[in-house]
Amino acid sequence: MERTYIADLNTKVGESVLIKGWVSVRRDQGKMIFFDFRDMTGSVQGVVLPDSAAMDAGKEARSEYVVAVEGLVNKRPEKNVQTGKQNGGIELQIEKIEIINRAETPPFEITGDTSAIGEDVRLQYRYLDLRSERMQQNIRLRSEFVQKAREFLFKKRFTEIETPLLTESTPEGSRDFVVPSRLHPGEFYALPQSPQQYKQLLMVGGFERYFQIARAIRDEDLRADRGFEHTQIDVEMSFVEQEDVMSMIEAMLIEIAESMGRTIKQKPFPRFTYAEAMERFGADKFDLRTPEEKEAGVLAYAWIYKFPFFEKTDDGGWTFTHNPFSMPVPEHIDWVLNKENIGDILTTQYDIVCNGFEAGGGSIRSHNPDILRSVYDIMGYSKDDTEERVGHMLEAFKYGTPPHGGIALGVERNVMNLTNETYLREVQAFPMTRGGLTAVMKAPKPLTDKQLKELGIRVDVPEKKHD
Ligand code: ASP
């Protein structure tokens, strides 16, 4: 018999079916046994009646056993219909249970909400945690979010392009994760903090509209909503101005949210200059929802723009606030080129906030090498240092570079807003622990002597054991 997915059982009333999945719950009442079964599409109640041939296997099957179950789909009697519940109107009268694989008792209860279970044990047994209904929903919703973004961008003629993971460090403002090179001992790659430079080079390469569901890897202090790795919907467009990127992304977020049945507080999204935001909210992230709107899961998006380009460093110099590749606002280009009024220079950076969190950010880039060179000059880089850091970009910009700009939206942050979760780990399949250890597998860990030798690396820290 062909397998029927549990979500489709309500179309098979009166028919014999075969389902495959897990036992969620078994209630043995002696003469009869009730089960809840689940597969990726949902769950259904089944019953082994007193004279059923399935009685022996039914007595043996336990929670989390993997089973194939044959039975008759019956309508429940009117008084037993569970309204509002998936398959609340039907029940499977079990004729046969085949035990495909047994399961030990899971180390924690997975039939309910697992968010209160200790992080260490949840992540050690993440594959079990992922079976819980809330995790299934969150991870599926994340997939849906990304799929809808892809569909929107493909409709708008974007091309999805992957960029390298082993690369040179990009000045995104965080610490890099580095990877030693075996072929070039003593030299290191950096994992990308973002595809910033490659996506700009793709504009030089004539793709005009790029996107990527890109992993960004930053060695930052870990917080509830920030891990070493996160995923961005990374976008870059040629022949655009600030308004074009903002309206494209706004249309995308509206289409995604509304197609997922969400309500958006205000359309078009309200816009605040950085100065206005600081004056009104005291921060460049703020929550525009009323308490009732919070309750109802409304999404309150807003744009912030006209950020200062530079901020003072501790030693009295200047550094960029967001992105060194940004273009200053048109009226301040001369200030950058002449290196004057530096603290007052505004950038074309735009950030999007939603429900109090930064959901993304981007800018128009300086496609003119003189502007980029001047930005590095203002930040105190010598000609040689600038050449070393961004010489390849300055070179690329010499060969007919279109004006371009883009944005990156944080997938986790957006999914957290859609699911109302407050921890990153609730929307990533295999997040790290707070202490920076991987889920299920054990990293970081020391290399073997052979590996170290091959890489030409001598380790200068006392060996330490993780507990
Ligand atoms: N590269 C920036 C980031 O990762 C986003 C952008 O400007 O496109 O935050």
Side-chain angles (χ1 to χ4, degrees):
M1 208 187 301
E2 209 180 304
R3 174 187 185 188
T4 301
Y5 288 103
I6 287 176
D8 301 333
L9 287 176
N10 57 3
T11 64
K12 304 256 176 177
V13 174
E15 294 179 39
S16 282
V17 296
L18 165 69
I19 60 167
K20 293 184 179 181
W22 287 261
V23 174
S24 289
V25 184
R26 187 188 73 142
R27 291 178 296 276
D28 189 346
Q29 299 194 342
K31 290 207 177 89
M32 290 202 285
I33 311 171
F34 288 92
F35 284 98
D36 289 342
F37 298 112
R38 62 165 203 280
D39 67 12
M40 66 172 179
T41 66
S43 63
V44 67
Q45 175 167 293
V47 58
V48 179
L49 293 174
D51 51 1
S52 167
M55 193 48 95
D56 286 351
K59 290 272 175 202
E60 199 190 332
R62 294 282 180 282
S63 290
E64 301 313 313
Y65 274 33
V66 180
V67 289
V69 179
E70 287 177 31
L72 184 66
V73 182
N74 286 334
K75 259 203 156 80
R76 287 198 198 204
E78 202 61 52
K79 64 177 175 29
N80 290 344
V81 169
Q82 295 177 293
T83 44
K85 198 179 155 199
Q86 185 193 21
N87 289 327
I90 59 168
E91 186 176 72
L92 195 62
Q93 183 185 323
I94 299 169
E95 286 154 359
K96 185 178 167 199
I97 299 179
E98 182 201 340
I99 293 176
I100 297 174
N101 212 349
R102 291 175 167 70
E104 291 191 9
T105 307
F108 50 89
E109 189 66 55
I110 56 177
T111 47
D113 183 328
T114 57
S115 57
I117 313 265
E119 182 195 65
D120 288 353
V121 66
R122 266 185 85 193
L123 294 189
Q124 182 185 349
Y125 294 98
R126 183 59 157 184
Y127 41 87
L128 297 179
D129 186 33
L130 288 171
R131 289 185 190 170
S132 66
E133 196 181 334
R134 189 174 52 92
M135 288 310 302
Q136 287 272 319
Q137 277 171 5
N138 287 356
I139 300 297
R140 288 180 199 285
L141 185 137
R142 176 183 172 134
S143 162
E144 194 186 339
F145 175 80
V146 170
Q147 183 203 347
K148 286 181 187 296
R150 270 206 172 92
E151 281 168 2
F152 178 92
L153 293 166
F154 283 137
K155 261 191 325 215
K156 302 287 184 191
R157 301 188 164 192
F158 281 79
T159 303
E160 184 171 11
I161 307 176
E162 287 170 276
T163 53
L165 278 181
L166 293 174
T167 177
E168 187 186 344
S169 114
T170 178
E172 219 69 60
S174 298
R175 223 174 269 120
D176 287 319
F177 271 100
V178 294
V179 180
S181 160
R182 179 181 57 82
L183 282 180
H184 303 275
E187 297 183 7
F188 297 82
Y189 302 95
L191 299 177
Q193 291 187 34
S194 88
Q196 181 70 41
Q197 298 189 50
Y198 284 116
K199 69 172 169 176
Q200 290 192 241
L201 293 171
L202 288 168
M203 298 302 104
V204 185
F207 282 96
E208 293 198 35
R209 288 187 170 195
Y210 140 98
F211 86 95
Q212 177 177 198
I213 311 301
R215 211 64 78 76
I217 303 165
R218 303 177 184 181
D219 189 357
E220 297 185 296
D221 293 337
L222 300 169
R223 288 203 235 119
D225 63 347
R226 201 163 71 183
F228 290 146
E229 295 182 42
H230 71 274
T231 305
Q232 303 180 334
I233 299 175
D234 195 47
V235 170
E236 198 74 9
M237 301 163 72
S238 291
F239 303 106
V240 287
E241 292 174 6
Q242 188 164 328
E243 190 56 44
D244 302 306
V245 183
M246 289 166 82
S247 55
M248 176 71 75
I249 295 305
E250 185 163 326
M252 181 177 90
L253 287 170
I254 292 173
E255 184 171 304
I256 296 175
E258 292 187 343
S259 71
M260 290 170 95
R262 305 307 153 114
T263 307
I264 293 171
K265 182 179 166 98
Q266 197 181 333
K267 293 184 296 187
F269 300 167
R271 295 181 181 189
F272 302 88
T273 65
Y274 174 75
E276 282 165 0
M278 292 309 282
E279 195 184 304
R280 256 181 86 168
F281 311 106
D284 57 1
K285 299 177 195 56
F286 43 82
D287 195 340
L288 295 170
R289 294 171 303 168
T290 61
E292 298 75 51
E293 287 167 338
K294 281 188 191 178
E295 199 65 24
V298 168
L299 298 165
Y301 291 102
W303 289 104
I304 333 289
Y305 66 124
K306 294 202 169 164
F307 286 90
F309 199 130
F310 299 99
E311 64 189 6
K312 277 250 183 269
T313 57
D314 292 341
D315 55 13
W318 294 102
T319 186
F320 58 90
T321 60
H322 284 79
N323 193 328
F325 297 103
S326 309
M327 180 82 111
V329 296
E331 56 275 28
H332 294 171
I333 290 177
D334 283 346
W335 290 356
V336 171
L337 292 172
N338 300 331
K339 300 174 198 86
E340 58 192 24
N341 306 326
I342 292 169
D344 297 328
I345 297 173
L346 298 176
T347 143
T348 54
Q349 176 80 23
Y350 32 80
D351 277 4
I352 186 153
V353 294
C354 179
N355 297 359
F357 296 97
E358 186 187 325
S363 62
I364 299 303
R365 328 297 182 185
S366 49
H367 57 282
N368 168 343
D370 293 339
I371 300 177
L372 184 58
R373 204 174 277 120
S374 210
V375 165
Y376 272 79
D377 217 359
I378 289 171
M379 298 193 299
Y381 285 80
S382 68
K383 232 172 160 259
D384 285 354
D385 284 349
T386 303
E387 201 52 42
E388 166 71 27
R389 306 247 2 191
V390 291
H392 52 279
M393 300 298 280
L394 295 168
E395 177 68 14
F397 289 170
K398 288 183 195 160
Y399 299 97
T401 300
H404 59 281
I407 194 165
L409 300 170
V411 169
E412 287 83 2
R413 175 37 67 196
N414 280 280
V415 174
M416 283 161 81
N417 281 342
L418 287 166
T419 53
N420 253 331
E421 296 285 2
T422 41
Y423 291 97
L424 196 72
R425 62 168 177 263
E426 309 301 344
V427 297
Q428 276 178 334
F430 294 100
M432 285 198 182
T433 67
R434 253 174 284 235
L437 306 179
T438 51
V440 189
M441 290 187 253
K442 281 206 174 54
K445 67 178 182 189
L447 297 181
T448 62
D449 288 343
K450 180 165 176 267
Q451 286 172 308
L452 288 173
K453 205 162 167 222
E454 242 174 15
L455 295 167
I457 290 179
R458 213 173 313 121
V459 176
D460 195 21
V461 283
E463 228 175 275
K464 125 176 159 207
K465 281 217 159 57
H466 292 297
D467 41 30

